[in-house]
Amino acid sequence: MSKYDYLIVGAGLFGATFAYEAAKRGKRVKVIEKRDHIAGNIYTKEVDGIQVHQYGAHIFHTSNKEIWNYINQFAEFNRYTNSPVANYKGQMYNLPFNMNTFHEMWGVRTPQEALDKINEQRQEMAGKKPQNLEEQAISLIGRDIYEKLIKGYTEKQWGQKATELPAFIIRRLPVRLTYDNNYFNDSYQGIPIGGYTQIVEKMLDSDLIDVETGVDFFDKKDEYLREYPRIVFTGMIDQFFGYQLGELQYRSLKFETEEKNVGNYQGNAVINYTDAETPFTRIIEHKHFEFGKGDKDKTIITREYPADWHRGDEPYYPVNNQQNNELYKKYAKLANEQTPNVLFGGRLGQYRYYNMDQVLHAALTAVDKEFA
Ligand code: FAD
Ligand code: UDP
């Protein structure tokens, strides 16, 4: 038997939080991670004095005060407010959909003028129940915004026609009748000064925790299952079970990072390309996440290309439609029946489109249950 109480598979936010809390309770923990670094998808790395978000833009936001206080133990956060801008064929529109967007789209100036315009555009769907994402978007915000800011982006992101995507994806589309470009409605928001990796580093910094990177659980699955009394698994639940009930669907991404010899390339951290022809969905300019940092003559940008997922690719997004959610439930049942000593957690283990605050919440809930 192993000298450890826990094997944690995956050094992402879920695994690291669980490891930290277990060590706090005197448990001995082994963490294995298949990538050559810790921190999972929140990994950031310093280049030219700029914290580069290696796996896409990560903005921490939450309305849960406990979660906000919890994460603030591990880093100080700046006051970054996400306010992405959309580029549609060279025309720039503020996001999320607010008075700035409506002014840019239609020249309206007051909330009443905007509302009149939106209502006029919604008429197209009057009396009809939306059957798909396209109809849902038009009934919420009208065709102009749908065509320019939603259709192309969504079809690229999900690799499917908007008329074939379920309506629920954008049921909560915010429509704001104020001149407010803050993308999130949450009470707390920011970027950790010095990046995200330090958070996971601090979580794993304990004499009771040993971390090994470059180790894939599946290379020695049977041995691990035999030797460790308890395993926390944050990889793909369908892969854990050898895809025996079928594959869950994921979306993958390709990141193209480039150093530019200019101080300020696009004037904003995030610009979305919402037309269908541009193959990427967004460009991130990392230095804008932290004000005034980095070389004044250089900048780092990353283009984000959505991609189909095939075995072996990084599974960045679960596709939480009804069919996949039902299949996930079957895997969760199998887990309960066949592997009671394995706790499945995080975005891939629980097959949920979790944000960071939700991952923390899920990990702390699992910890409470584990050590009750
Ligand atoms: P992960 O970070 O994926 O960690 C799982 C770890 O397990 C990985 O390091 C993986 O390599 C490892 N692993 C998997 N299988 C094995 C194996 N067989 N053996 C060993 N190791 C294994 N959230 C926000 O709150 N705000 C944002 O702005 C935001 N933006 C995002 C943008 C993008 C492009 C993406 C993809 C996600 C974004 N998120 C954002 C979500 C955020 O990344 C997740 O909530 C969080 O990282 C999930 O943590 P996790 O530990 O569950 O998973
Ligand atoms: N979306 C869109 N246009 C945009 C940004 C987002 O239509 O400019 C839609 C799209 O369907 C996307 C969803 O809103 O999948 C959620 O986007 P968000 O950027 O909030 O999520 P993320 O990809 O960062 O998880």
Side-chain angles (χ1 to χ4, degrees):
M1 278 310 264
S2 154
K3 64 173 179 162
Y4 298 101
D5 300 301
Y6 287 90
L7 173 71
I8 298 189
V9 182
L13 191 57
F14 190 99
T17 305
F18 196 98
Y20 173 77
E21 292 294 332
K24 225 163 83 177
R25 289 161 177 80
K27 305 295 179 195
R28 289 159 306 172
V29 183
K30 170 88 182 187
V31 180
I32 57 168
E33 166 57 56
K34 72 174 177 189
R35 295 181 184 167
D36 64 2
H37 61 75
I38 60 165
N41 287 339
I42 69 173
Y43 178 70
T44 52
K45 188 169 101 182
E46 190 175 312
V47 182
D48 294 341
I50 300 163
Q51 287 295 329
V52 173
H53 295 210
Q54 196 99 339
Y55 302 98
H58 276 78
I59 299 110
F60 195 93
H61 58 99
T62 187
S63 288
N64 184 329
K65 194 167 188 185
E66 278 172 42
I67 295 293
W68 180 243
N69 289 339
Y70 189 84
I71 195 82
N72 273 270
Q73 294 175 80
F74 305 104
E76 190 184 335
F77 280 70
N78 68 18
R79 58 145 196 86
Y80 178 82
T81 302
N82 197 30
S83 43
V85 174
N87 180 328
Y88 177 76
K89 301 188 175 180
Q91 285 170 292
M92 309 303 276
Y93 297 95
N94 285 107
L95 295 172
F97 310 132
N98 73 81
M99 284 305 298
N100 289 304
T101 330
F102 305 140
H103 177 69
E104 289 146 0
M105 189 69 64
W106 300 311
V108 295
R109 292 182 180 86
T110 65
Q112 190 57 54
E113 284 171 18
L115 206 53
D116 290 348
K117 191 75 195 170
I118 292 168
N119 284 336
E120 177 195 309
Q121 294 239 327
R122 280 173 176 154
Q123 276 307 310
E124 192 183 323
M125 280 297 294
K128 283 190 246 165
K129 193 170 176 290
Q131 301 296 330
N132 56 52
L133 190 144
E134 174 168 306
E135 294 183 358
Q136 177 72 24
I138 293 171
S139 75
L140 278 169
I141 194 85
R143 184 167 287 275
D144 286 352
I145 288 188
Y146 167 69
E147 297 276 355
K148 291 185 174 170
L149 303 180
I150 299 174
K151 185 173 190 287
Y153 189 99
T154 299
E155 292 185 345
K156 287 191 285 191
Q157 175 82 347
W158 297 105
Q160 278 182 61
K161 292 261 170 264
T163 47
E164 285 157 18
L165 282 164
F168 77 85
I169 294 187
I170 53 160
R171 201 152 279 162
R172 290 179 309 159
L173 204 75
V175 178
R176 217 182 263 160
L177 293 172
T178 52
Y179 286 93
D180 178 2
N181 295 328
N182 182 350
Y183 199 62
F184 301 117
N185 290 322
D186 283 318
S187 324
Y188 310 100
Q189 175 173 187
I191 301 279
I193 298 167
Y196 285 94
T197 304
Q198 61 174 327
I199 294 175
V200 174
E201 258 164 22
K202 285 181 201 162
M203 285 176 163
L204 297 177
D205 180 21
S206 159
D207 292 341
L208 294 173
I209 304 176
D210 289 329
V211 182
E212 228 182 309
T213 55
V215 177
D216 191 326
F217 173 78
F218 293 107
D219 289 345
K220 286 197 213 160
K221 178 180 172 189
D222 292 338
E223 194 182 310
Y224 292 131
L225 286 172
R226 250 191 339 265
E227 288 188 358
Y228 285 84
R230 192 97 171 108
I231 295 179
V232 174
F233 183 82
T234 72
M236 294 154 63
I237 188 167
D238 55 347
Q239 186 184 15
F240 183 95
F241 289 106
Y243 306 102
Q244 61 182 270
L245 305 175
E247 265 179 19
L248 288 164
Q249 278 182 305
Y250 303 88
R251 287 294 284 162
S252 195
L253 295 168
K254 300 274 180 284
F255 297 103
E256 187 182 271
T257 297
E258 215 185 297
E259 186 184 74
K260 295 269 183 196
N261 287 322
V262 289
N264 183 5
Y265 176 75
Q266 63 179 15
N268 203 34
V270 184
I271 307 249
N272 291 356
Y273 285 76
T274 56
D275 65 299
E277 292 76 25
T278 307
F280 46 85
T281 47
R282 45 190 174 190
I283 300 184
I284 311 303
E285 186 172 8
H286 301 269
K287 64 162 40 167
H288 295 302
F289 289 121
E290 291 192 57
F291 317 98
K293 288 267 173 69
D295 190 323
K296 70 175 184 20
D297 301 318
K298 282 204 177 102
T299 196
I300 313 265
I301 62 160
T302 301
R303 295 184 194 85
E304 193 172 312
Y305 297 81
D308 291 337
W309 176 88
H310 306 284
R311 285 189 202 185
D313 296 339
E314 283 290 347
Y316 289 105
Y317 294 105
V319 181
N320 284 117
N321 61 26
Q322 200 184 341
Q323 191 190 334
N324 288 320
N325 288 345
E326 275 165 20
L327 181 56
Y328 164 72
K329 274 193 209 143
K330 290 185 190 155
Y331 275 115
K333 188 161 173 274
L334 199 63
N336 274 333
E337 289 164 3
Q338 293 189 1
T339 55
N341 291 335
V342 183
L343 192 164
F344 291 84
R347 235 189 194 203
L348 303 173
Q350 292 172 281
Y351 197 68
R352 297 272 284 276
Y353 199 136
Y354 278 145
N355 280 321
M356 290 179 275
D357 60 324
Q358 296 168 310
V359 168
L360 282 175
H361 188 263
L364 293 172
T365 303
V367 164
D368 282 347
K369 207 167 151 209
E370 185 77 9
F371 300 106

